[in-house]
Amino acid sequence: DSGVTQTPKHLITATGQRVTLRCSPRSGDLSVYWYQQSLDQGLQFLIQYYNGEERAKGNILERFSAQQFPDLHSELNLSSLELGDSALYFCASSVHYNSPLHFGNGTRLTVT
Amino acid sequence: AQTVTQSQPEMSVQEAETVTLSCTYDTSESDYYLFWYKQPPSRQMILVIRQEAYKQQNATENRFSVNFQKAAKSFSLKISDSQLGDAAMYFCAYRRSNAGGTSYGKLTFGQGTILTVHP
């Protein structure tokens, strides 16, 4: 068990809808990273927060947004969903930017 | 931008044998970290081994070892005495060692290699 908790494990929704994925980092970890894993794109970095502030942005669509709350949990919001957004979404956390990343078990999103 | 390439989409090995997974990367940085992550069917991402670029000695973790060739920008993973539980997707990943810019600790992954272990 990595100590990183992601909910829900599975999510099935329709095109055009909006969903929120939640991540609780390991105790003491200040950094949270979001990754998208799809068959055609592999593991893509989306966004990173450190102690509540956005620190790095990757290939994140404008329809997607995220935030990290004072208790350090993070949420990834996906809106106007398209079929191509179907993927496994991972959250990872680390104590510091140079510390190893610990991954959660992911949220499997299916858009129908 | 940094890129990571795993040229072997699939590999297979007999139980108890040794297998090597290849990874090359491209970077203009001199200091960085390299990782191998394992993703079994349970889909969890598990850190297998980590290498700091400034260290010449190759990292080892039990049956797992790496061959780090900095000049060639090559970072292969050797699995000795392969076990059925080693069957998984393996990802090579790169990370800058310094914060700043748009990097700030993010990992850049290769496309992965599916490893099958035959009994």
PDB file of all heavy atoms in Angstrom, chain A residues 6 8-9 19 21-22 33-38 43-44 46 61 63-64 76 78 81-82 84-91 104-111, chain B residues 43:
ATOM      1  N   GLN A   6      -7.006   7.160  -3.790  1.00  0.00           N
ATOM      2  CA  GLN A   6      -7.761   7.789  -4.874  1.00  0.00           C
ATOM      3  C   GLN A   6      -9.187   7.254  -4.877  1.00  0.00           C
ATOM      4  O   GLN A   6      -9.419   6.059  -4.735  1.00  0.00           O
ATOM      5  CB  GLN A   6      -7.138   7.489  -6.234  1.00  0.00           C
ATOM      6  CG  GLN A   6      -5.846   8.229  -6.486  1.00  0.00           C
ATOM      7  CD  GLN A   6      -5.374   8.048  -7.916  1.00  0.00           C
ATOM      8  OE1 GLN A   6      -4.380   7.369  -8.161  1.00  0.00           O
ATOM      9  NE2 GLN A   6      -6.095   8.671  -8.853  1.00  0.00           N
ATOM     10  N   PRO A   8     -13.179   7.979  -6.948  1.00  0.00           N
ATOM     11  CA  PRO A   8     -13.554   6.566  -6.851  1.00  0.00           C
ATOM     12  C   PRO A   8     -12.574   5.690  -7.622  1.00  0.00           C
ATOM     13  O   PRO A   8     -11.707   6.196  -8.315  1.00  0.00           O
ATOM     14  CB  PRO A   8     -14.937   6.551  -7.504  1.00  0.00           C
ATOM     15  CG  PRO A   8     -14.852   7.622  -8.548  1.00  0.00           C
ATOM     16  CD  PRO A   8     -13.986   8.704  -7.960  1.00  0.00           C
ATOM     17  N   LYS A   9     -12.727   4.386  -7.530  1.00  0.00           N
ATOM     18  CA  LYS A   9     -11.873   3.477  -8.291  1.00  0.00           C
ATOM     19  C   LYS A   9     -12.309   3.405  -9.737  1.00  0.00           C
ATOM     20  O   LYS A   9     -11.497   3.280 -10.643  1.00  0.00           O
ATOM     21  CB  LYS A   9     -11.918   2.074  -7.682  1.00  0.00           C
ATOM     22  CG  LYS A   9     -11.246   1.963  -6.339  1.00  0.00           C
ATOM     23  CD  LYS A   9     -11.260   0.532  -5.841  1.00  0.00           C
ATOM     24  CE  LYS A   9     -10.568   0.421  -4.486  1.00  0.00           C
ATOM     25  NZ  LYS A   9     -10.602  -0.970  -3.966  1.00  0.00           N
ATOM     26  N   VAL A  19     -16.956  15.402 -14.051  1.00  0.00           N
ATOM     27  CA  VAL A  19     -16.651  14.519 -12.931  1.00  0.00           C
ATOM     28  C   VAL A  19     -15.528  15.110 -12.100  1.00  0.00           C
ATOM     29  O   VAL A  19     -14.758  15.950 -12.582  1.00  0.00           O
ATOM     30  CB  VAL A  19     -16.250  13.099 -13.405  1.00  0.00           C
ATOM     31  CG1 VAL A  19     -17.391  12.419 -14.142  1.00  0.00           C
ATOM     32  CG2 VAL A  19     -14.988  13.143 -14.252  1.00  0.00           C
ATOM     33  N   LEU A  21     -12.363  13.804  -9.571  1.00  0.00           N
ATOM     34  CA  LEU A  21     -11.553  12.731  -9.032  1.00  0.00           C
ATOM     35  C   LEU A  21     -10.821  13.264  -7.808  1.00  0.00           C
ATOM     36  O   LEU A  21     -10.305  14.387  -7.829  1.00  0.00           O
ATOM     37  CB  LEU A  21     -10.529  12.247 -10.069  1.00  0.00           C
ATOM     38  CG  LEU A  21     -11.051  11.968 -11.478  1.00  0.00           C
ATOM     39  CD1 LEU A  21      -9.938  11.412 -12.354  1.00  0.00           C
ATOM     40  CD2 LEU A  21     -12.232  11.042 -11.451  1.00  0.00           C
ATOM     41  N   ARG A  22     -10.736  12.437  -6.794  1.00  0.00           N
ATOM     42  CA  ARG A  22     -10.159  12.890  -5.530  1.00  0.00           C
ATOM     43  C   ARG A  22      -8.908  12.086  -5.187  1.00  0.00           C
ATOM     44  O   ARG A  22      -8.826  10.891  -5.468  1.00  0.00           O
ATOM     45  CB  ARG A  22     -11.185  12.753  -4.412  1.00  0.00           C
ATOM     46  CG  ARG A  22     -10.711  13.222  -3.058  1.00  0.00           C
ATOM     47  CD  ARG A  22     -11.716  12.900  -1.966  1.00  0.00           C
ATOM     48  NE  ARG A  22     -11.149  13.142  -0.652  1.00  0.00           N
ATOM     49  CZ  ARG A  22     -11.409  14.225   0.076  1.00  0.00           C
ATOM     50  NH1 ARG A  22     -12.218  15.162  -0.370  1.00  0.00           N
ATOM     51  NH2 ARG A  22     -10.856  14.361   1.272  1.00  0.00           N
ATOM     52  N   TYR A  33       0.787  15.073  -7.733  1.00  0.00           N
ATOM     53  CA  TYR A  33       0.910  15.062  -9.190  1.00  0.00           C
ATOM     54  C   TYR A  33      -0.282  14.301  -9.756  1.00  0.00           C
ATOM     55  O   TYR A  33      -0.697  13.283  -9.204  1.00  0.00           O
ATOM     56  CB  TYR A  33       2.183  14.335  -9.623  1.00  0.00           C
ATOM     57  CG  TYR A  33       3.463  14.827  -8.996  1.00  0.00           C
ATOM     58  CD1 TYR A  33       3.796  14.494  -7.686  1.00  0.00           C
ATOM     59  CD2 TYR A  33       4.366  15.597  -9.717  1.00  0.00           C
ATOM     60  CE1 TYR A  33       4.973  14.926  -7.108  1.00  0.00           C
ATOM     61  CE2 TYR A  33       5.562  16.031  -9.154  1.00  0.00           C
ATOM     62  CZ  TYR A  33       5.854  15.686  -7.851  1.00  0.00           C
ATOM     63  OH  TYR A  33       7.025  16.119  -7.290  1.00  0.00           O
ATOM     64  N   TRP A  34      -0.753  14.739 -10.908  1.00  0.00           N
ATOM     65  CA  TRP A  34      -1.806  14.017 -11.626  1.00  0.00           C
ATOM     66  C   TRP A  34      -1.269  13.546 -12.978  1.00  0.00           C
ATOM     67  O   TRP A  34      -0.636  14.326 -13.709  1.00  0.00           O
ATOM     68  CB  TRP A  34      -3.035  14.897 -11.848  1.00  0.00           C
ATOM     69  CG  TRP A  34      -3.854  15.117 -10.620  1.00  0.00           C
ATOM     70  CD1 TRP A  34      -3.818  16.196  -9.779  1.00  0.00           C
ATOM     71  CD2 TRP A  34      -4.852  14.233 -10.091  1.00  0.00           C
ATOM     72  NE1 TRP A  34      -4.723  16.035  -8.763  1.00  0.00           N
ATOM     73  CE2 TRP A  34      -5.378  14.850  -8.928  1.00  0.00           C
ATOM     74  CE3 TRP A  34      -5.367  12.986 -10.479  1.00  0.00           C
ATOM     75  CZ2 TRP A  34      -6.382  14.261  -8.158  1.00  0.00           C
ATOM     76  CZ3 TRP A  34      -6.362  12.418  -9.713  1.00  0.00           C
ATOM     77  CH2 TRP A  34      -6.855  13.040  -8.572  1.00  0.00           C
ATOM     78  N   TYR A  35      -1.547  12.280 -13.282  1.00  0.00           N
ATOM     79  CA  TYR A  35      -1.145  11.695 -14.548  1.00  0.00           C
ATOM     80  C   TYR A  35      -2.349  11.030 -15.207  1.00  0.00           C
ATOM     81  O   TYR A  35      -3.232  10.507 -14.529  1.00  0.00           O
ATOM     82  CB  TYR A  35      -0.062  10.625 -14.342  1.00  0.00           C
ATOM     83  CG  TYR A  35       1.315  11.173 -14.104  1.00  0.00           C
ATOM     84  CD1 TYR A  35       1.719  11.585 -12.843  1.00  0.00           C
ATOM     85  CD2 TYR A  35       2.218  11.283 -15.152  1.00  0.00           C
ATOM     86  CE1 TYR A  35       2.987  12.103 -12.632  1.00  0.00           C
ATOM     87  CE2 TYR A  35       3.493  11.797 -14.951  1.00  0.00           C
ATOM     88  CZ  TYR A  35       3.869  12.200 -13.688  1.00  0.00           C
ATOM     89  OH  TYR A  35       5.126  12.704 -13.490  1.00  0.00           O
ATOM     90  N   GLN A  36      -2.326  11.024 -16.534  1.00  0.00           N
ATOM     91  CA  GLN A  36      -3.346  10.335 -17.308  1.00  0.00           C
ATOM     92  C   GLN A  36      -2.667   9.192 -18.056  1.00  0.00           C
ATOM     93  O   GLN A  36      -1.637   9.400 -18.709  1.00  0.00           O
ATOM     94  CB  GLN A  36      -3.999  11.292 -18.307  1.00  0.00           C
ATOM     95  CG  GLN A  36      -5.046  10.652 -19.189  1.00  0.00           C
ATOM     96  CD  GLN A  36      -5.413  11.561 -20.358  1.00  0.00           C
ATOM     97  OE1 GLN A  36      -4.564  11.933 -21.162  1.00  0.00           O
ATOM     98  NE2 GLN A  36      -6.685  11.907 -20.459  1.00  0.00           N
ATOM     99  N   GLN A  37      -3.228   7.987 -17.947  1.00  0.00           N
ATOM    100  CA  GLN A  37      -2.694   6.858 -18.690  1.00  0.00           C
ATOM    101  C   GLN A  37      -3.732   6.341 -19.672  1.00  0.00           C
ATOM    102  O   GLN A  37      -4.785   5.847 -19.277  1.00  0.00           O
ATOM    103  CB  GLN A  37      -2.263   5.725 -17.758  1.00  0.00           C
ATOM    104  CG  GLN A  37      -1.588   4.576 -18.501  1.00  0.00           C
ATOM    105  CD  GLN A  37      -1.129   3.460 -17.568  1.00  0.00           C
ATOM    106  OE1 GLN A  37      -1.638   3.298 -16.463  1.00  0.00           O
ATOM    107  NE2 GLN A  37      -0.141   2.701 -18.001  1.00  0.00           N
ATOM    108  N   SER A  38      -3.440   6.484 -20.947  1.00  0.00           N
ATOM    109  CA  SER A  38      -4.322   5.954 -21.981  1.00  0.00           C
ATOM    110  C   SER A  38      -3.507   5.057 -22.903  1.00  0.00           C
ATOM    111  O   SER A  38      -2.281   5.129 -22.923  1.00  0.00           O
ATOM    112  CB  SER A  38      -4.970   7.086 -22.775  1.00  0.00           C
ATOM    113  OG  SER A  38      -3.974   7.889 -23.382  1.00  0.00           O
ATOM    114  N   LEU A  43       1.627   7.329 -20.361  1.00  0.00           N
ATOM    115  CA  LEU A  43       1.488   8.078 -19.101  1.00  0.00           C
ATOM    116  C   LEU A  43       1.853   9.533 -19.347  1.00  0.00           C
ATOM    117  O   LEU A  43       3.006   9.858 -19.603  1.00  0.00           O
ATOM    118  CB  LEU A  43       2.403   7.494 -18.035  1.00  0.00           C
ATOM    119  CG  LEU A  43       1.833   6.379 -17.185  1.00  0.00           C
ATOM    120  CD1 LEU A  43       2.934   5.556 -16.556  1.00  0.00           C
ATOM    121  CD2 LEU A  43       0.933   6.948 -16.094  1.00  0.00           C
ATOM    122  N   GLN A  44       0.863  10.408 -19.244  1.00  0.00           N
ATOM    123  CA  GLN A  44       1.083  11.816 -19.506  1.00  0.00           C
ATOM    124  C   GLN A  44       0.915  12.625 -18.218  1.00  0.00           C
ATOM    125  O   GLN A  44      -0.078  12.486 -17.511  1.00  0.00           O
ATOM    126  CB  GLN A  44       0.081  12.316 -20.549  1.00  0.00           C
ATOM    127  CG  GLN A  44       0.215  11.653 -21.912  1.00  0.00           C
ATOM    128  CD  GLN A  44       1.446  12.117 -22.644  1.00  0.00           C
ATOM    129  OE1 GLN A  44       1.751  13.302 -22.700  1.00  0.00           O
ATOM    130  NE2 GLN A  44       2.180  11.172 -23.226  1.00  0.00           N
ATOM    131  N   LEU A  46      -0.095  15.674 -16.106  1.00  0.00           N
ATOM    132  CA  LEU A  46      -1.122  16.701 -16.252  1.00  0.00           C
ATOM    133  C   LEU A  46      -0.763  17.959 -15.477  1.00  0.00           C
ATOM    134  O   LEU A  46      -0.655  19.047 -16.046  1.00  0.00           O
ATOM    135  CB  LEU A  46      -2.479  16.166 -15.785  1.00  0.00           C
ATOM    136  CG  LEU A  46      -3.069  15.006 -16.585  1.00  0.00           C
ATOM    137  CD1 LEU A  46      -4.393  14.556 -15.977  1.00  0.00           C
ATOM    138  CD2 LEU A  46      -3.253  15.398 -18.042  1.00  0.00           C
ATOM    139  N   LEU A  61      -5.711  19.601 -20.617  1.00  0.00           N
ATOM    140  CA  LEU A  61      -6.667  20.301 -21.458  1.00  0.00           C
ATOM    141  C   LEU A  61      -7.330  21.428 -20.677  1.00  0.00           C
ATOM    142  O   LEU A  61      -7.410  21.393 -19.448  1.00  0.00           O
ATOM    143  CB  LEU A  61      -7.739  19.320 -21.954  1.00  0.00           C
ATOM    144  CG  LEU A  61      -7.238  18.138 -22.778  1.00  0.00           C
ATOM    145  CD1 LEU A  61      -8.383  17.155 -23.019  1.00  0.00           C
ATOM    146  CD2 LEU A  61      -6.647  18.603 -24.093  1.00  0.00           C
ATOM    147  N   ARG A  63     -10.345  21.977 -20.518  1.00  0.00           N
ATOM    148  CA  ARG A  63     -11.572  21.440 -19.903  1.00  0.00           C
ATOM    149  C   ARG A  63     -11.279  20.784 -18.545  1.00  0.00           C
ATOM    150  O   ARG A  63     -12.202  20.436 -17.802  1.00  0.00           O
ATOM    151  CB  ARG A  63     -12.199  20.386 -20.828  1.00  0.00           C
ATOM    152  CG  ARG A  63     -12.577  20.901 -22.191  1.00  0.00           C
ATOM    153  CD  ARG A  63     -13.252  19.820 -23.010  1.00  0.00           C
ATOM    154  NE  ARG A  63     -12.334  18.820 -23.512  1.00  0.00           N
ATOM    155  CZ  ARG A  63     -12.259  17.574 -23.054  1.00  0.00           C
ATOM    156  NH1 ARG A  63     -13.036  17.166 -22.065  1.00  0.00           N
ATOM    157  NH2 ARG A  63     -11.410  16.708 -23.595  1.00  0.00           N
ATOM    158  N   PHE A  64     -10.007  20.600 -18.249  1.00  0.00           N
ATOM    159  CA  PHE A  64      -9.609  19.973 -16.998  1.00  0.00           C
ATOM    160  C   PHE A  64      -9.052  21.036 -16.051  1.00  0.00           C
ATOM    161  O   PHE A  64      -8.360  21.968 -16.483  1.00  0.00           O
ATOM    162  CB  PHE A  64      -8.520  18.923 -17.232  1.00  0.00           C
ATOM    163  CG  PHE A  64      -8.935  17.741 -18.070  1.00  0.00           C
ATOM    164  CD1 PHE A  64     -10.213  17.620 -18.594  1.00  0.00           C
ATOM    165  CD2 PHE A  64      -8.020  16.728 -18.330  1.00  0.00           C
ATOM    166  CE1 PHE A  64     -10.582  16.532 -19.369  1.00  0.00           C
ATOM    167  CE2 PHE A  64      -8.374  15.624 -19.096  1.00  0.00           C
ATOM    168  CZ  PHE A  64      -9.642  15.537 -19.616  1.00  0.00           C
ATOM    169  N   LEU A  76      -9.204  16.607  -9.133  1.00  0.00           N
ATOM    170  CA  LEU A  76      -9.053  16.846 -10.569  1.00  0.00           C
ATOM    171  C   LEU A  76     -10.449  16.877 -11.159  1.00  0.00           C
ATOM    172  O   LEU A  76     -11.198  15.906 -11.035  1.00  0.00           O
ATOM    173  CB  LEU A  76      -8.222  15.734 -11.213  1.00  0.00           C
ATOM    174  CG  LEU A  76      -7.994  15.835 -12.727  1.00  0.00           C
ATOM    175  CD1 LEU A  76      -7.134  17.041 -13.063  1.00  0.00           C
ATOM    176  CD2 LEU A  76      -7.341  14.551 -13.253  1.00  0.00           C
ATOM    177  N   LEU A  78     -12.869  17.208 -14.403  1.00  0.00           N
ATOM    178  CA  LEU A  78     -12.892  16.997 -15.846  1.00  0.00           C
ATOM    179  C   LEU A  78     -14.288  17.362 -16.342  1.00  0.00           C
ATOM    180  O   LEU A  78     -15.285  16.810 -15.857  1.00  0.00           O
ATOM    181  CB  LEU A  78     -12.591  15.537 -16.187  1.00  0.00           C
ATOM    182  CG  LEU A  78     -11.422  14.873 -15.437  1.00  0.00           C
ATOM    183  CD1 LEU A  78     -11.317  13.399 -15.807  1.00  0.00           C
ATOM    184  CD2 LEU A  78     -10.121  15.585 -15.724  1.00  0.00           C
ATOM    185  N   LEU A  81     -16.908  16.174 -20.955  1.00  0.00           N
ATOM    186  CA  LEU A  81     -16.168  14.949 -21.244  1.00  0.00           C
ATOM    187  C   LEU A  81     -16.403  14.429 -22.656  1.00  0.00           C
ATOM    188  O   LEU A  81     -17.520  14.496 -23.188  1.00  0.00           O
ATOM    189  CB  LEU A  81     -16.517  13.875 -20.213  1.00  0.00           C
ATOM    190  CG  LEU A  81     -15.879  14.097 -18.842  1.00  0.00           C
ATOM    191  CD1 LEU A  81     -16.511  13.190 -17.795  1.00  0.00           C
ATOM    192  CD2 LEU A  81     -14.372  13.874 -18.915  1.00  0.00           C
ATOM    193  N   GLU A  82     -15.340  13.921 -23.231  1.00  0.00           N
ATOM    194  CA  GLU A  82     -15.375  13.324 -24.568  1.00  0.00           C
ATOM    195  C   GLU A  82     -14.955  11.858 -24.452  1.00  0.00           C
ATOM    196  O   GLU A  82     -14.333  11.454 -23.463  1.00  0.00           O
ATOM    197  CB  GLU A  82     -14.425  14.078 -25.495  1.00  0.00           C
ATOM    198  CG  GLU A  82     -14.751  15.559 -25.615  1.00  0.00           C
ATOM    199  CD  GLU A  82     -13.713  16.309 -26.435  1.00  0.00           C
ATOM    200  OE1 GLU A  82     -12.739  15.676 -26.900  1.00  0.00           O
ATOM    201  OE2 GLU A  82     -13.879  17.541 -26.612  1.00  0.00           O
ATOM    202  N   GLY A  84     -12.625  10.375 -25.839  1.00  0.00           N
ATOM    203  CA  GLY A  84     -11.176  10.280 -25.738  1.00  0.00           C
ATOM    204  C   GLY A  84     -10.620  10.552 -24.357  1.00  0.00           C
ATOM    205  O   GLY A  84      -9.426  10.351 -24.119  1.00  0.00           O
ATOM    206  N   ASP A  85     -11.463  11.010 -23.445  1.00  0.00           N
ATOM    207  CA  ASP A  85     -11.005  11.248 -22.071  1.00  0.00           C
ATOM    208  C   ASP A  85     -11.009   9.964 -21.256  1.00  0.00           C
ATOM    209  O   ASP A  85     -10.518   9.947 -20.120  1.00  0.00           O
ATOM    210  CB  ASP A  85     -11.900  12.284 -21.389  1.00  0.00           C
ATOM    211  CG  ASP A  85     -11.836  13.641 -22.079  1.00  0.00           C
ATOM    212  OD1 ASP A  85     -10.766  13.989 -22.614  1.00  0.00           O
ATOM    213  OD2 ASP A  85     -12.874  14.344 -22.087  1.00  0.00           O
ATOM    214  N   SER A  86     -11.551   8.908 -21.818  1.00  0.00           N
ATOM    215  CA  SER A  86     -11.542   7.620 -21.121  1.00  0.00           C
ATOM    216  C   SER A  86     -10.092   7.199 -20.901  1.00  0.00           C
ATOM    217  O   SER A  86      -9.299   7.120 -21.846  1.00  0.00           O
ATOM    218  CB  SER A  86     -12.261   6.556 -21.954  1.00  0.00           C
ATOM    219  OG  SER A  86     -13.628   6.876 -22.097  1.00  0.00           O
ATOM    220  N   ALA A  87      -9.755   6.942 -19.659  1.00  0.00           N
ATOM    221  CA  ALA A  87      -8.362   6.645 -19.313  1.00  0.00           C
ATOM    222  C   ALA A  87      -8.292   6.280 -17.840  1.00  0.00           C
ATOM    223  O   ALA A  87      -9.277   6.354 -17.110  1.00  0.00           O
ATOM    224  CB  ALA A  87      -7.453   7.844 -19.596  1.00  0.00           C
ATOM    225  N   LEU A  88      -7.074   5.916 -17.441  1.00  0.00           N
ATOM    226  CA  LEU A  88      -6.777   5.697 -16.029  1.00  0.00           C
ATOM    227  C   LEU A  88      -6.085   6.959 -15.531  1.00  0.00           C
ATOM    228  O   LEU A  88      -5.104   7.409 -16.134  1.00  0.00           O
ATOM    229  CB  LEU A  88      -5.850   4.488 -15.903  1.00  0.00           C
ATOM    230  CG  LEU A  88      -5.521   3.933 -14.524  1.00  0.00           C
ATOM    231  CD1 LEU A  88      -6.769   3.589 -13.748  1.00  0.00           C
ATOM    232  CD2 LEU A  88      -4.636   2.704 -14.683  1.00  0.00           C
ATOM    233  N   TYR A  89      -6.612   7.542 -14.487  1.00  0.00           N
ATOM    234  CA  TYR A  89      -6.045   8.771 -13.939  1.00  0.00           C
ATOM    235  C   TYR A  89      -5.362   8.455 -12.615  1.00  0.00           C
ATOM    236  O   TYR A  89      -5.987   7.969 -11.676  1.00  0.00           O
ATOM    237  CB  TYR A  89      -7.128   9.833 -13.749  1.00  0.00           C
ATOM    238  CG  TYR A  89      -7.640  10.350 -15.070  1.00  0.00           C
ATOM    239  CD1 TYR A  89      -8.648   9.674 -15.754  1.00  0.00           C
ATOM    240  CD2 TYR A  89      -7.106  11.496 -15.650  1.00  0.00           C
ATOM    241  CE1 TYR A  89      -9.111  10.124 -16.985  1.00  0.00           C
ATOM    242  CE2 TYR A  89      -7.551  11.957 -16.877  1.00  0.00           C
ATOM    243  CZ  TYR A  89      -8.547  11.258 -17.537  1.00  0.00           C
ATOM    244  OH  TYR A  89      -8.994  11.711 -18.759  1.00  0.00           O
ATOM    245  N   PHE A  90      -4.065   8.756 -12.587  1.00  0.00           N
ATOM    246  CA  PHE A  90      -3.279   8.489 -11.387  1.00  0.00           C
ATOM    247  C   PHE A  90      -2.978   9.779 -10.640  1.00  0.00           C
ATOM    248  O   PHE A  90      -2.714  10.823 -11.233  1.00  0.00           O
ATOM    249  CB  PHE A  90      -1.922   7.871 -11.756  1.00  0.00           C
ATOM    250  CG  PHE A  90      -1.966   6.406 -12.042  1.00  0.00           C
ATOM    251  CD1 PHE A  90      -1.860   5.950 -13.342  1.00  0.00           C
ATOM    252  CD2 PHE A  90      -2.101   5.482 -11.016  1.00  0.00           C
ATOM    253  CE1 PHE A  90      -1.884   4.595 -13.619  1.00  0.00           C
ATOM    254  CE2 PHE A  90      -2.132   4.132 -11.283  1.00  0.00           C
ATOM    255  CZ  PHE A  90      -2.023   3.683 -12.591  1.00  0.00           C
ATOM    256  N   CYS A  91      -2.954   9.636  -9.347  1.00  0.00           N
ATOM    257  CA  CYS A  91      -2.439  10.668  -8.476  1.00  0.00           C
ATOM    258  C   CYS A  91      -1.178  10.107  -7.829  1.00  0.00           C
ATOM    259  O   CYS A  91      -1.108   8.904  -7.519  1.00  0.00           O
ATOM    260  CB  CYS A  91      -3.481  11.015  -7.414  1.00  0.00           C
ATOM    261  SG  CYS A  91      -2.863  12.046  -6.086  1.00  0.00           S
ATOM    262  N   GLY A 104      -1.051   6.371  -6.278  1.00  0.00           N
ATOM    263  CA  GLY A 104      -2.284   5.721  -5.870  1.00  0.00           C
ATOM    264  C   GLY A 104      -2.653   4.649  -6.874  1.00  0.00           C
ATOM    265  O   GLY A 104      -1.930   4.412  -7.852  1.00  0.00           O
ATOM    266  N   ASN A 105      -3.773   3.973  -6.635  1.00  0.00           N
ATOM    267  CA  ASN A 105      -4.200   2.886  -7.508  1.00  0.00           C
ATOM    268  C   ASN A 105      -4.951   3.349  -8.744  1.00  0.00           C
ATOM    269  O   ASN A 105      -5.319   2.542  -9.590  1.00  0.00           O
ATOM    270  CB  ASN A 105      -5.060   1.893  -6.732  1.00  0.00           C
ATOM    271  CG  ASN A 105      -4.230   1.068  -5.781  1.00  0.00           C
ATOM    272  OD1 ASN A 105      -3.019   0.930  -5.938  1.00  0.00           O
ATOM    273  ND2 ASN A 105      -4.874   0.510  -4.773  1.00  0.00           N
ATOM    274  N   GLY A 106      -5.186   4.632  -8.832  1.00  0.00           N
ATOM    275  CA  GLY A 106      -5.805   5.175 -10.036  1.00  0.00           C
ATOM    276  C   GLY A 106      -7.315   5.166 -10.019  1.00  0.00           C
ATOM    277  O   GLY A 106      -7.948   4.414  -9.264  1.00  0.00           O
ATOM    278  N   THR A 107      -7.894   6.017 -10.834  1.00  0.00           N
ATOM    279  CA  THR A 107      -9.337   6.040 -11.085  1.00  0.00           C
ATOM    280  C   THR A 107      -9.543   5.713 -12.555  1.00  0.00           C
ATOM    281  O   THR A 107      -8.997   6.390 -13.429  1.00  0.00           O
ATOM    282  CB  THR A 107      -9.955   7.416 -10.780  1.00  0.00           C
ATOM    283  OG1 THR A 107      -9.894   7.665  -9.383  1.00  0.00           O
ATOM    284  CG2 THR A 107     -11.411   7.464 -11.239  1.00  0.00           C
ATOM    285  N   ARG A 108     -10.314   4.662 -12.807  1.00  0.00           N
ATOM    286  CA  ARG A 108     -10.606   4.281 -14.190  1.00  0.00           C
ATOM    287  C   ARG A 108     -11.847   5.033 -14.653  1.00  0.00           C
ATOM    288  O   ARG A 108     -12.942   4.805 -14.130  1.00  0.00           O
ATOM    289  CB  ARG A 108     -10.835   2.776 -14.290  1.00  0.00           C
ATOM    290  CG  ARG A 108     -11.423   2.313 -15.616  1.00  0.00           C
ATOM    291  CD  ARG A 108     -10.418   2.360 -16.735  1.00  0.00           C
ATOM    292  NE  ARG A 108      -9.360   1.383 -16.568  1.00  0.00           N
ATOM    293  CZ  ARG A 108      -8.273   1.314 -17.336  1.00  0.00           C
ATOM    294  NH1 ARG A 108      -8.115   2.184 -18.321  1.00  0.00           N
ATOM    295  NH2 ARG A 108      -7.371   0.398 -17.139  1.00  0.00           N
ATOM    296  N   LEU A 109     -11.677   5.953 -15.598  1.00  0.00           N
ATOM    297  CA  LEU A 109     -12.793   6.734 -16.122  1.00  0.00           C
ATOM    298  C   LEU A 109     -13.202   6.199 -17.484  1.00  0.00           C
ATOM    299  O   LEU A 109     -12.366   6.054 -18.380  1.00  0.00           O
ATOM    300  CB  LEU A 109     -12.397   8.206 -16.264  1.00  0.00           C
ATOM    301  CG  LEU A 109     -13.426   9.105 -16.954  1.00  0.00           C
ATOM    302  CD1 LEU A 109     -14.691   9.222 -16.105  1.00  0.00           C
ATOM    303  CD2 LEU A 109     -12.849  10.489 -17.248  1.00  0.00           C
ATOM    304  N   THR A 110     -14.474   5.895 -17.610  1.00  0.00           N
ATOM    305  CA  THR A 110     -15.030   5.457 -18.885  1.00  0.00           C
ATOM    306  C   THR A 110     -16.101   6.439 -19.302  1.00  0.00           C
ATOM    307  O   THR A 110     -17.067   6.668 -18.554  1.00  0.00           O
ATOM    308  CB  THR A 110     -15.635   4.051 -18.781  1.00  0.00           C
ATOM    309  OG1 THR A 110     -14.633   3.137 -18.337  1.00  0.00           O
ATOM    310  CG2 THR A 110     -16.165   3.594 -20.136  1.00  0.00           C
ATOM    311  N   VAL A 111     -15.925   7.035 -20.477  1.00  0.00           N
ATOM    312  CA  VAL A 111     -16.901   7.975 -21.012  1.00  0.00           C
ATOM    313  C   VAL A 111     -17.643   7.289 -22.155  1.00  0.00           C
ATOM    314  O   VAL A 111     -17.024   6.807 -23.110  1.00  0.00           O
ATOM    315  CB  VAL A 111     -16.221   9.259 -21.513  1.00  0.00           C
ATOM    316  CG1 VAL A 111     -17.273  10.251 -22.007  1.00  0.00           C
ATOM    317  CG2 VAL A 111     -15.378   9.889 -20.409  1.00  0.00           C
TER     318      VAL A 111
ATOM    319  N   ARG B  43      -2.628  -2.699 -11.675  1.00  0.00           N
ATOM    320  CA  ARG B  43      -2.454  -1.333 -12.219  1.00  0.00           C
ATOM    321  C   ARG B  43      -1.760  -0.350 -11.294  1.00  0.00           C
ATOM    322  O   ARG B  43      -1.543   0.789 -11.672  1.00  0.00           O
ATOM    323  CB  ARG B  43      -3.780  -0.770 -12.739  1.00  0.00           C
ATOM    324  CG  ARG B  43      -4.722  -0.276 -11.661  1.00  0.00           C
ATOM    325  CD  ARG B  43      -6.064   0.078 -12.220  1.00  0.00           C
ATOM    326  NE  ARG B  43      -6.898   0.706 -11.213  1.00  0.00           N
ATOM    327  CZ  ARG B  43      -8.206   0.860 -11.342  1.00  0.00           C
ATOM    328  NH1 ARG B  43      -8.815   0.449 -12.414  1.00  0.00           N
ATOM    329  NH2 ARG B  43      -8.901   1.439 -10.379  1.00  0.00           N
TER     330      ARG B  43
END
